[in-house]
Amino acid sequence: MDSKQFREFGREAIDFLANYYDTIRDRDVLPSVQPGDIIKRLPKDAPEQPEPWQQIFQDFKDVVIPGITNWHSPQFHAYYPTGTSFASIIGGLLSDGIGIMGFTWIASPVCTELEVVSMDWLAKLLGLPEEFLNSHSGPGGGVLQGSASEAILVGLLAAKDKMIRRLKKQDPDLDEDLAKIKFVAYTSDHCNSAVEKAGVLGSMKMRLLKSDINGRLRGETVKKAMEEDKAQGLIPCYVVCNLGTTGVCSFDAMDEIGPICRENNVWLHVDAAYAGSALICPEYRHLLNGIEYVDSFDVNAHKWFLVNFDCSAMWVRDSYDLINAFDVQRIYLEDVDSEIKIPDYRHWQMPLGRRFRALKLWIVMKSYGAEGIRSYIRRQISLAQYFAKLMKADDRFIIEPEPSMGLVCFRLVQGDELTKKLIENITKKKKLFMVRGSFRNRYIIRFVICSQFTNNEDIEFSWNTIKNEANTLIENDVVHLKSQAITTIHGIENICVTEKSK
Amino acid sequence: MDSKQFREFGREAIDFLANYYDTIRDRDVLPSVQPGDIIKRLPKDAPEQPEPWQQIFQDFKDVVIPGITNWHSPQFHAYYPTGTSFASIIGGLLSDGIGIMGFTWIASPVCTELEVVSMDWLAKLLGLPEEFLNSHSGPGGGVLQGSASEAILVGLLAAKDKMIRRLKKQDPDLDEDLAKIKFVAYTSDHCNSAVEKAGVLGSMKMRLLKSDINGRLRGETVKKAMEEDKAQGLIPCYVVCNLGTTGVCSFDAMDEIGPICRENNVWLHVDAAYAGSALICPEYRHLLNGIEYVDSFDVNAHKWFLVNFDCSAMWVRDSYDLINAFDVQRIYLEDVDSEIKIPDYRHWQMPLGRRFRALKLWIVMKSYGAEGIRSYIRRQISLAQYFAKLMKADDRFIIEPEPSMGLVCFRLVQGDELTKKLIENITKKKKLFMVRGSFRNRYIIRFVICSQFTNNEDIEFSWNTIKNEANTLIENDVVHLKSQAITTIHGIENICVTEKSK
């Protein structure tokens, strides 16, 4: 493909994407493919000779597009949002287009320096304390990681290294290996799988502590766990505080947990992957209570901040903790010598390679402006509240826990089995996509506002879809119960009781 | 930005990129900025109000572009190449554009299935044994990771988990923690920093073993190291065999190392990040000697296979080794149930999130065809040979070790100090970019064919630049020596000897 063909294909691709979003409302949210369909359709070998771009584009439209789940459909309400915006797509295009790497300053100065500036912009928008700014005179700063998973693991490894350094100061003859196996990490039983995985990957026992009745991890629980462990000769080392859990978007009590970490010299990492973006609105700033105890803080700009994956914004109170843990020098990689504080970001992360991720974040902040992002977040939350209001008027549904940010969790009064059937039947029809969850040992359905295109009418459509499916299900269920009642007339009450108490 | 503005900005961006490559020859390879210049130029805060796309684009051209190092300039000869091609840029645009995630099959079926197929295409092109194919009936397969660093760490963690399972079979009462601290990993002293870092991150002692006179790690050396360690009660667990080291592109003796790993039940990972792409040419297939002993194999398609970062292709002999190490289930993430083998790739990697990386790889293979990629690789290697030929005719230069793939390492006969000055002076002029290295304790300059736009004339330009700078330097050096000779006439011979023997 030469530059002329690139111009042609590029313009067609841009137009395709514009049309895709202009018509996204007309597409089913879920694709009509069975597992293996796409594998079977594709040739078993790469072509020997080049294919013209027109052919490739046609294959893309014929094979790829019918196989995607439309994450930005107004009826996509599963998981949490994955960020996208026209501004971010252009940012990604320009970044890929110039094809640079940024593992040292000289490898591409702007790759480092735009990240320094953009991370400061973002930190200020979210109201983080100034110790986390790159421009602050202290050792703190912000860096873009690939994912919240990576940030959690980076925090864990830095915590481990810092604790070893502390223990070695007290006892220079310390056997590091024997000490490390005593380290313990703590988090909530509502944490994302990535937190548990970080424990596995980073070789640290990760205790999933019981959250309270609202799904929040409390200070007392952490304190008790640490005391138990210390009594057994173990060493508390790392805590992941979840601001906005994946299951139900609950918020761990950071202001309670913080002082306990401080007392025990334990690293406190905050995983605010989804909900952290809401901090751009001053009305949610209270969620930062306890931030003064935090060592590292992570928000996925690629979730709810309109930036495409991957763009996970992580700030640390002391970047030397990362550098100490990760610095492995090589002669062909030189650090920058400068009067201004310029981080060598490769020592702040696990891989060596670095994409120019800051570009899309920078373009998104400029294109929306802080006000634009604030109204986007507020609109998403108000849509969730609208959905909850519609549902609350129907007493066959229970919303639990209270809606939080863009998430509403609900279930049918009739119990787990019918709730499960409800989501299964809806998913089969491919018009509406939600995923299941669990709360207080009950089966729940998670309804999240994900798409920036979702509006009030879409919410009404979703609500009607859910309601109608529930009507059918409950009706059938009553018929089913009646027919059971006819055959086992004496058992009818028991059946009803069992069904409800499940 | 609405879809109309996106169309406008998108077309301008495509045209900008086409023009950028059409005129890349006119740009200095290195930017004219000092550390901190860009930080100082940018506002300290994000804008409150949206900026029009025209303003953003202008800022991009005024601030970002002058701050990049032009990795695809024909005079960029530093590090190793970072992949790009018009085909890959479009692939990235379409992938970002549809903005999907692929952490489960249902999250976007094509994201998983196109990866299954593309990784098989690539494995066959590189001549890997069929046990590594996704379509093979066995448990092997291929997956895209973010970087070679990640692949090395994934291999290490899987190796650790597998070894623990093996030891537990022998002794069900084994204390896992105490066993793990005895595990040892081995690699060459020429390994990439990422290998050493994997040891740090994955908490495993990583022994950097002495390579032979040609920079190759030999079987005997590995065997001896393992025996020493076993005698001390340690447990050999993981070996990283480097096919194409970062410093000098040497090849560890995989066929010697393999059997030793097998005997000791040690996981053998191959890091062929750069040179692995050359396997697409049958004339380099002999580099796979010993592949039958390999547990995991990694090639950065984003280095020398024309695909943009990040796209690191990793194959494993037994994917259950990864799944056992990384699987952390959650109710909202369901695995796919299918007759065809469909991997749940999130259990094959460290993070949960997954971009649609396969799309750009697939488009590149279709756009170039296998033949197109083969001729690209062959052309790059022949350009390196042409450069070496020009240099060999000048006896002031020593090429050492022998040129390998697209890399030529050289130094001045006059010694380290002058070689160092040579690269420093050239770099200052910003027309040619190379980085330093070291080989057999000598300072060397690495000259790598990186850009797909480099041609014979560019090589001649580079050679002339290096030669002219050397002329000036050596002339000055002689003048300098003469002036020293005049003041300390009796020391002249000693000075010459010292200079040469450095």
Side-chain angles (χ1 to χ4, degrees):
Chain A
M1 195 183 304
D2 60 19
S3 72
K4 185 174 161 290
Q5 290 158 334
F6 171 72
R7 281 177 215 264
E8 291 164 4
F9 194 177
R11 284 171 200 194
E12 293 277 332
I14 291 287
D15 276 343
F16 173 86
L17 292 172
N19 291 337
Y20 172 77
Y21 286 107
D22 285 345
T23 61
I24 195 151
R25 211 164 280 283
D26 309 334
R27 297 166 192 269
D28 283 350
V29 58
L30 285 165
S32 292
V33 290
Q34 295 303 311
D37 279 359
I38 300 163
I39 293 174
K40 281 183 242 160
R41 278 196 66 178
L42 290 164
K44 296 209 175 307
D45 290 277
E48 271 297 304
Q49 298 304 322
E51 292 179 4
W53 73 262
Q54 293 87 345
Q55 174 62 45
I56 296 171
F57 197 31
Q58 198 57 50
D59 286 351
F60 171 78
K61 289 186 267 192
D62 292 347
V63 182
V64 175
I65 289 299
I68 67 173
T69 297
N70 293 291
W71 277 70
H72 307 287
S73 155
Q75 265 75 48
F76 183 99
H77 299 292
Y79 315 111
Y80 273 133
T82 189
T84 201
S85 60
F86 289 129
S88 176
I89 297 169
I90 300 274
L93 169 61
L94 291 172
S95 163
D96 261 14
I98 54 178
I100 56 162
M101 292 286 283
F103 45 68
T104 58
W105 181 84
I106 192 68
S108 263
V110 72
C111 186
T112 296
E113 297 198 19
L114 196 71
E115 190 161 326
V116 166
V117 171
S118 302
M119 287 300 288
D120 273 9
W121 284 15
L122 184 54
K124 290 186 199 172
L125 290 182
L126 302 183
L128 293 182
E130 59 173 12
E131 304 90 81
F132 289 105
L133 298 183
N134 289 309
S135 55
H136 187 258
S137 58
V143 61
L144 289 172
Q145 306 281 359
S147 60
S149 314
E150 223 175 299
I152 296 163
L153 184 51
V154 163
L156 182 144
L157 296 168
K160 204 193 244 189
D161 186 75
K162 187 174 188 170
M163 184 61 85
I164 283 292
R165 280 182 285 122
R166 178 177 292 122
L167 296 175
K168 279 219 134 178
K169 245 190 196 163
Q170 294 163 7
D171 171 15
D173 300 327
L174 179 88
D175 183 320
E176 287 189 29
D177 293 327
L178 287 177
K180 277 180 192 167
I181 61 181
K182 293 182 194 154
F183 291 177
V184 189
Y186 307 85
T187 193
S188 139
D189 55 0
H190 272 271
C191 74
N192 186 279
S193 60
V195 183
E196 206 178 335
K197 201 164 178 178
V200 174
L201 300 175
S203 291
M204 199 185 292
K205 275 171 264 307
M206 177 70 69
R207 286 189 61 181
L208 271 51
L209 305 176
K210 203 168 161 40
S211 52
D212 72 7
I213 192 161
N214 297 309
R216 306 179 70 212
L217 180 61
R218 305 299 297 268
E220 271 307 306
T221 314
V222 176
K223 191 177 177 183
K224 201 165 151 265
M226 286 188 184
E227 277 166 7
E228 282 167 15
D229 286 343
K230 286 193 288 183
Q232 288 188 40
L234 299 174
I235 304 167
C237 179
Y238 188 53
V239 167
V240 178
C241 172
N242 307 277
L243 292 191
T245 56
T246 308
V248 298
C249 201
S250 53
F251 290 78
D252 295 341
M254 188 159 80
D255 53 343
E256 297 174 4
I257 297 169
I260 295 157
C261 291
R262 181 65 54 88
E263 266 167 47
N264 288 278
N265 290 316
V266 164
W267 184 292
L268 179 56
H269 176 81
V270 175
D271 181 26
Y274 163 67
S277 293
L279 293 169
I280 195 172
C281 305
E283 62 269 33
Y284 296 108
R285 216 46 80 62
H286 61 88
L287 295 172
L288 283 181
N289 284 349
I291 186 73
E292 63 274 22
Y293 299 105
V294 170
D295 294 287
S296 52
F297 188 93
D298 187 68
V299 179
N300 279 344
H302 64 244
K303 270 204 169 66
W304 207 17
F305 208 80
L306 296 156
V307 182
N308 276 67
F309 190 80
D310 47 0
C311 191
S312 188
M314 180 187 198
W315 291 269
V316 287
R317 190 170 290 278
D318 187 346
S319 61
Y320 290 105
D321 291 333
L322 304 187
I323 295 168
N324 276 315
F326 298 151
D327 181 2
V328 180
Q329 275 297 2
R330 277 299 184 279
I331 188 170
Y332 46 82
L333 302 168
E334 283 181 273
D335 287 342
V336 62
D337 188 21
S338 152
E339 283 172 23
I340 292 199
K341 194 172 86 176
I342 304 207
D344 280 296
Y345 277 136
R346 71 178 183 284
H347 305 315
W348 296 42
Q349 63 174 21
M350 296 194 295
L352 171 59
R354 304 205 86 228
R355 290 159 69 224
F356 190 11
R357 293 186 186 116
L359 186 60
K360 57 189 174 185
L361 174 60
W362 182 66
I363 291 183
V364 164
M365 288 190 282
K366 284 165 78 74
S367 176
Y368 281 82
E371 265 311 308
I373 301 172
R374 276 184 209 113
S375 19
Y376 157 76
I377 296 276
R378 286 179 183 136
R379 195 172 61 244
Q380 303 271 97
I381 295 173
S382 76
L383 286 166
Q385 286 165 350
Y386 181 50
F387 176 81
K389 190 181 140 200
L390 294 174
M391 185 168 267
K392 274 180 185 164
D394 188 329
D395 60 11
R396 297 171 304 170
F397 290 90
I398 295 171
I399 292 181
E400 204 177 64
E402 273 304 295
S404 173
M405 298 291 167
L407 171 66
V408 183
C409 298
F410 66 92
R411 58 191 167 90
L412 281 169
V413 171
Q414 279 82 356
D416 286 1
E417 204 169 313
L418 228 58
T419 306
K420 184 164 181 271
K421 263 191 199 152
L422 178 67
I423 189 170
E424 281 172 0
N425 289 0
I426 290 171
T427 306
K428 266 182 213 149
K429 292 179 181 160
K430 302 176 189 303
K431 301 285 182 199
L432 177 59
F433 187 31
M434 304 172 291
V435 292
R436 60 181 184 165
S438 98
F439 185 66
R440 297 185 199 156
N441 293 320
R442 286 187 183 273
Y443 194 105
I444 57 169
I445 300 176
R446 297 171 70 263
F447 181 91
V448 192
I449 307 297
C450 289
S451 167
Q452 60 192 289
F453 303 108
T454 304
N455 60 28
N456 279 4
E457 289 70 46
D458 295 313
I459 295 297
E460 287 155 15
F461 170 86
S462 293
W463 164 239
N464 286 327
T465 306
I466 295 167
K467 193 175 59 180
N468 292 341
E469 195 61 49
N471 289 346
T472 315
L473 266 179
I474 292 168
E475 206 169 290
N476 288 347
D477 198 51
V478 170
V479 172
H480 176 67
L481 285 177
K482 274 192 188 151
S483 78
Q484 282 197 315
I486 290 163
T487 48
T488 61
I489 189 76
H490 302 295
I492 183 72
E493 261 187 35
N494 279 342
I495 290 173
C496 292
V497 170
T498 311
E499 189 61 36
K500 279 199 173 163
S501 63
K502 252 182 202 165
Chain B
M1 195 183 306
D2 60 18
S3 72
K4 186 174 161 288
Q5 291 158 333
F6 171 72
R7 281 178 216 261
E8 292 164 5
F9 195 177
R11 283 171 201 196
E12 292 277 332
I14 292 287
D15 277 342
F16 172 86
L17 293 172
N19 291 337
Y20 172 77
Y21 286 107
D22 285 345
T23 60
I24 196 153
R25 210 165 280 283
D26 310 333
R27 297 167 192 269
D28 283 350
V29 57
L30 284 164
S32 292
V33 290
Q34 295 303 312
D37 280 358
I38 300 162
I39 293 175
K40 281 184 241 159
R41 277 196 67 179
L42 291 164
K44 297 209 175 309
D45 289 277
E48 270 298 304
Q49 298 305 321
E51 292 179 5
W53 73 261
Q54 293 87 345
Q55 173 63 43
I56 297 171
F57 197 30
Q58 197 57 50
D59 286 350
F60 171 77
K61 289 186 267 192
D62 292 346
V63 181
V64 175
I65 289 299
I68 66 173
T69 296
N70 293 290
W71 277 69
H72 307 288
S73 155
Q75 266 75 49
F76 184 100
H77 299 292
Y79 315 111
Y80 273 134
T82 189
T84 200
S85 61
F86 289 128
S88 175
I89 296 169
I90 300 274
L93 168 62
L94 291 172
S95 163
D96 261 13
I98 54 178
I100 56 162
M101 292 286 283
F103 45 67
T104 58
W105 181 84
I106 191 67
S108 262
V110 72
C111 186
T112 297
E113 297 198 18
L114 197 71
E115 189 161 326
V116 166
V117 172
S118 302
M119 287 300 288
D120 273 9
W121 283 15
L122 184 54
K124 290 186 200 172
L125 290 182
L126 302 183
L128 293 183
E130 59 173 10
E131 304 91 80
F132 289 107
L133 298 183
N134 288 308
S135 55
H136 187 258
S137 58
V143 60
L144 289 172
Q145 305 281 359
S147 60
S149 314
E150 222 174 299
I152 296 163
L153 185 52
V154 164
L156 182 144
L157 296 168
K160 204 193 243 189
D161 186 75
K162 188 174 189 170
M163 185 60 84
I164 283 292
R165 279 183 284 121
R166 178 176 292 121
L167 296 175
K168 279 218 133 181
K169 244 189 196 164
Q170 295 165 6
D171 170 15
D173 299 327
L174 180 87
D175 182 321
E176 288 190 27
D177 292 327
L178 287 178
K180 276 182 193 166
I181 60 180
K182 292 182 194 153
F183 291 178
V184 188
Y186 307 85
T187 193
S188 140
D189 53 1
H190 272 272
C191 73
N192 187 279
S193 60
V195 183
E196 205 178 334
K197 201 164 176 177
V200 173
L201 301 175
S203 291
M204 199 185 291
K205 273 170 268 304
M206 177 69 70
R207 286 189 60 180
L208 272 52
L209 306 176
K210 201 166 162 44
S211 53
D212 72 8
I213 193 160
N214 298 309
R216 307 178 69 210
L217 179 61
R218 306 299 298 269
E220 271 306 307
T221 312
V222 176
K223 193 176 175 184
K224 200 165 152 264
M226 285 187 185
E227 278 167 7
E228 282 167 14
D229 286 343
K230 286 193 288 183
Q232 288 188 38
L234 300 174
I235 305 168
C237 180
Y238 187 54
V239 167
V240 178
C241 171
N242 308 278
L243 292 190
T245 56
T246 308
V248 299
C249 201
S250 53
F251 290 79
D252 295 342
M254 188 159 80
D255 53 342
E256 297 174 3
I257 296 168
I260 296 158
C261 291
R262 182 65 55 87
E263 267 168 47
N264 289 279
N265 291 315
V266 164
W267 184 291
L268 179 55
H269 176 81
V270 175
D271 180 26
Y274 162 68
S277 292
L279 294 168
I280 194 173
C281 306
E283 62 269 33
Y284 297 107
R285 218 44 83 60
H286 61 88
L287 295 172
L288 283 181
N289 285 348
I291 186 73
E292 63 275 23
Y293 299 106
V294 169
D295 295 286
S296 52
F297 188 92
D298 187 68
V299 178
N300 279 344
H302 64 243
K303 270 204 169 65
W304 207 18
F305 208 80
L306 297 157
V307 183
N308 275 68
F309 190 80
D310 48 0
C311 192
S312 188
M314 181 187 197
W315 292 271
V316 287
R317 191 169 290 279
D318 187 346
S319 61
Y320 290 105
D321 291 333
L322 304 187
I323 295 167
N324 277 315
F326 298 151
D327 182 1
V328 180
Q329 275 297 1
R330 278 299 184 281
I331 187 171
Y332 46 82
L333 302 169
E334 282 182 274
D335 288 342
V336 62
D337 189 21
S338 152
E339 283 172 22
I340 291 200
K341 193 172 88 177
I342 304 210
D344 279 297
Y345 276 137
R346 71 178 183 285
H347 306 314
W348 295 42
Q349 63 174 21
M350 296 194 295
L352 171 59
R354 304 204 88 228
R355 290 158 70 224
F356 190 12
R357 293 187 185 115
L359 186 60
K360 57 189 175 184
L361 174 60
W362 182 67
I363 292 185
V364 164
M365 287 189 282
K366 284 165 77 74
S367 177
Y368 282 82
E371 265 311 307
I373 301 174
R374 276 183 210 114
S375 17
Y376 157 76
I377 296 274
R378 286 177 183 137
R379 197 172 60 242
Q380 304 272 98
I381 295 174
S382 76
L383 286 167
Q385 286 164 350
Y386 181 50
F387 176 81
K389 190 182 141 202
L390 294 174
M391 184 169 266
K392 274 180 184 164
D394 188 330
D395 60 10
R396 298 171 304 171
F397 290 89
I398 295 172
I399 292 182
E400 205 177 60
E402 274 303 294
S404 173
M405 299 293 167
L407 171 66
V408 183
C409 298
F410 66 91
R411 57 189 166 90
L412 281 169
V413 171
Q414 280 82 355
D416 286 1
E417 204 170 314
L418 226 59
T419 306
K420 185 164 180 269
K421 262 190 201 152
L422 178 67
I423 189 171
E424 282 172 358
N425 288 0
I426 290 171
T427 307
K428 266 183 214 150
K429 291 178 182 161
K430 302 176 189 304
K431 301 284 180 199
L432 176 60
F433 187 30
M434 305 172 290
V435 293
R436 60 180 184 166
S438 96
F439 184 66
R440 297 185 198 156
N441 293 320
R442 286 188 182 271
Y443 194 106
I444 56 168
I445 299 174
R446 295 172 71 263
F447 181 92
V448 192
I449 307 297
C450 289
S451 167
Q452 61 192 287
F453 303 109
T454 303
N455 59 28
N456 280 5
E457 290 70 47
D458 295 312
I459 295 296
E460 286 154 17
F461 169 86
S462 294
W463 164 238
N464 287 327
T465 305
I466 294 167
K467 194 175 61 180
N468 293 339
E469 195 62 48
N471 290 345
T472 315
L473 267 179
I474 292 169
E475 206 169 290
N476 288 346
D477 198 49
V478 170
V479 172
H480 176 66
L481 286 177
K482 276 192 187 150
S483 78
Q484 284 197 315
I486 289 161
T487 49
T488 62
I489 190 78
H490 302 295
I492 182 74
E493 259 187 36
N494 279 342
I495 289 173
C496 291
V497 171
T498 312
E499 190 63 38
K500 277 197 176 167
S501 62
K502 254 183 203 165

